[in-house]
Each structure stands twice: as structure tokens, then as C-alpha cells.
Amino acid sequence: MFKKLMVILLLITCFFLLFQWDVKQGYKKYTKAHPYTETTAYTGKLTMFPEGSKLYTSLLTDMKQAESYIYLQFFIFRDDPISMKFIELLKEKAKHGVDVKFSVEKTFHHH
């Protein structure tokens, strides 16, 4: 019984160490692909958006009011109607001299 318990503890320890190693390797891979891991921090207010539609409405409003720059980063971006509103507004703001930077990790297209 004691040997079985020791084997189980050893396996759990090995899995834990493997998971730790995997996370560290993932972090290294991510930072090589995305070297800018720190961004400038600004003071301001924090707003929670429990619904996506409220977030998009707020973002579009802020983008419309932007006069100097718009820096957006999304992990996932689709070619749906709301996303196309973002793209059209970014194009319009860039035409009017606003510095626009838009970063996306993954895009998905409708079929």
C-alpha cells in the first residue's frame, strides 16, 4: 500500500513539473512571437462590460471621438457586421489624420 501511494505521489509530482515546464515554454514561445510584453500604463477609470454589445458600442463611441490616435488589439476578429463597422471607422479616422494601429492574433471568416 505504501509503495502504491509513493508511486501515485511521484506521478502527481511529475505531472506538476511537466505542466510547469509546459507553461514556461509557452511563455518563451509567446514572448518571441510578441516581444512587446509591456505597455505604457495610463491612469483612468475602469469599466466592466458584462455584454459584448455594450463593449462594442462604447468602443465605437470612443473611436469616433478620437482625435490623435486609436490603438486596438484583439485576440480574435471576425468579418461580421460589427467588425466591419470597426474597420470602416478605422479607415475613416486614418483618412482624417488619426494615428491608427490595429493588431489581431486570429481572424475568422464567414463561409
Side-chain angles (χ1 to χ4, degrees), residues 24-109:
K24 286 180 182 179
Q25 294 305 309
Y27 178 78
K28 285 180 185 177
K29 183 178 177 183
Y30 180 83
T31 54
K32 282 183 183 177
H34 308 279
Y36 302 109
T37 57
E38 295 181 13
T39 59
T40 306
Y42 295 95
T43 58
K45 66 178 185 171
L46 173 69
T47 304
M48 299 294 291
F49 294 97
E51 298 172 19
S53 61
K54 291 181 181 180
L55 168 66
Y56 301 138
T57 301
S58 180
L59 273 174
L60 286 167
T61 299
D62 288 346
M63 290 167 58
K64 287 175 187 174
Q65 295 173 356
E67 297 176 359
S68 302
Y69 61 89
I70 299 173
Y71 302 154
L72 285 176
Q73 181 175 3
F74 286 101
F75 182 73
I76 296 174
F77 197 78
R78 293 181 168 83
D79 66 349
D80 57 10
I82 189 72
S83 299
M84 294 304 102
K85 282 184 184 180
F86 276 89
I87 296 298
E88 291 306 314
L89 184 54
L90 290 172
K91 287 180 186 178
E92 187 65 29
K93 295 304 272 190
K95 284 180 189 176
H96 287 91
V98 175
D99 182 23
V100 173
K101 294 183 181 175
F102 183 53
S103 172
V104 176
E105 180 70 23
K106 297 188 184 292
T107 57
F108 292 94
H109 303 283

Side-chain angles (χ1 to χ4, degrees), residues 1-41:
M1 181 69 172
F2 180 74
K3 285 184 180 182
K4 287 182 183 180
L5 182 60
M6 291 304 291
V7 169
I8 291 172
L9 287 174
L10 180 62
L11 287 173
I12 290 171
T13 302
C14 287
F15 281 123
F16 176 77
L17 293 173
L18 178 66
F19 292 142
Q20 267 193 323
W21 177 83
D22 187 53
V23 168
K24 286 180 182 179
Q25 294 305 309
Y27 178 78
K28 285 180 185 177
K29 183 178 177 183
Y30 180 83
T31 54
K32 282 183 183 177
H34 308 279
Y36 302 109
T37 57
E38 295 181 13
T39 59
T40 306

